[in-house]
Amino acid sequence: MSATVTSHRPRPPAQPETLRARRLPAYAAPVIAVAALALAAAIVYGAGIGGPVLVIVLGAVLYLVGLFAASNAVEGRRSARNRTWSALIHSAFVLAVVPLASVVWTLVSKGTERLDANFFNTSMNNIGARDPNGGAYHAIVGTLEQVGIAALITVPLGILCAIYIVEYGRGRFAFAIRFFVDVMTGIPSIVTGLFVLAFWVLIVSPWFNDGRPSFSGFAAALALSVLMLPTIVRSTEEMLRLVPPPLREGAYALGVPKWKTILRVVVPTALPGIVTGVMLSIARAAGETAPVLLVAGGGAAINFNPFENNQSSLALYVYQQAGEASKYSPARAWTAALTLVALVLILTIAAKLLARRNRLSR
């Protein structure tokens, strides 16, 4: 006869209420924020020492102090410090986003005034100060041609230079390349414009123009190339260095040549980061004014030939319209600025989609 023995273990005692961590209720932070803003408004407007900006700044300080005090009283000093630093991090994020949101809102609100067919189909040729018409068709054409030529020159050169530095470069020569790329990163855009003016416009262009110097969109593209090159080289170099070494070693172990490993494994792996660096350089080039003004001269008429005569750009168009003594010029300038931002955004999205489609698969 078998008997089943059941073991009855004593249950652990329940935690006393004093050992349970106390926490602030979910509504505490919003209540403290509203009270801090109300107190700040009362202080600022009661004393007459400022406006809404000072109210927000003082309210943020009072909110941090009140949040720390409430959390310290309920949760303890450690949780209070954690909440305060978390609130500071979120405040820094908001502080970084607010200017960007303000710029976007200002561009959209003021740039839609001349967002019509006439703006995109006409130029400023024969447009007077009292004429409400006139558009930026010539500037859009100039920007696309100049930035496109600069990208065709710079992107292959910059990527190949970065590949040499990471995969092949050793010794003093590679160090010298890195050094000069770092120096070029800080060159002001006006200096690049002066360099192309002195070299291309005054020395080279007379050979093709019966001995006379000539402004052109191609000269502006050369100046923009000098600005784009260091950004592409440095960003591509950093992305290539992030590629895991086992990927290269696995390809070498299978007998794949080094050049094919770079082409088929390393570059596709780093392609999203490379595209980001290229688009940053294109965005910088599209927004430059001084080089275009120095070597392309600007112009009010449409010029499809980047190798002859003056040519404008959207950045230069914004600069010129912002300084015009006409009541219709500010609207043109804001719409041109919105067009420039939208153009860079479209190119960035297209490049990101293309890089995602062509990146290395599993």
Side-chain angles (χ1 to χ4, degrees), residues 207-218:
W207 296 355
F208 307 99
N209 195 37
D210 298 329
R212 293 174 299 175
S214 175
F215 289 158
S216 65
F218 181 73

Side-chain angles (χ1 to χ4, degrees), residues 1-5:
M1 183 176 181
S2 62
T4 303
V5 179

Side-chain angles (χ1 to χ4, degrees), residues 139-151 154 189 192 220-221 223-229 231-232 277-293 312-319 336-348:
I140 296 173
V141 170
T143 295
L144 292 176
E145 290 185 351
Q146 294 163 19
V147 175
I149 294 173
T154 312
S189 59
T192 63
L224 298 179
S225 299
V226 178
L227 295 174
M228 293 171 61
L229 183 61
T231 302
I232 295 177
V278 170
M279 295 314 301
L280 286 174
S281 66
I282 289 177
R284 181 191 177 185
E288 291 293 344
T289 304
V292 181
L293 181 62
S312 186
S313 69
L314 280 171
L316 181 57
Y317 179 84
V318 172
Y319 170 75
L338 178 61
T339 304
L340 180 59
V341 173
L343 183 63
V344 173
L345 178 62
I346 292 172
L347 292 176
T348 302

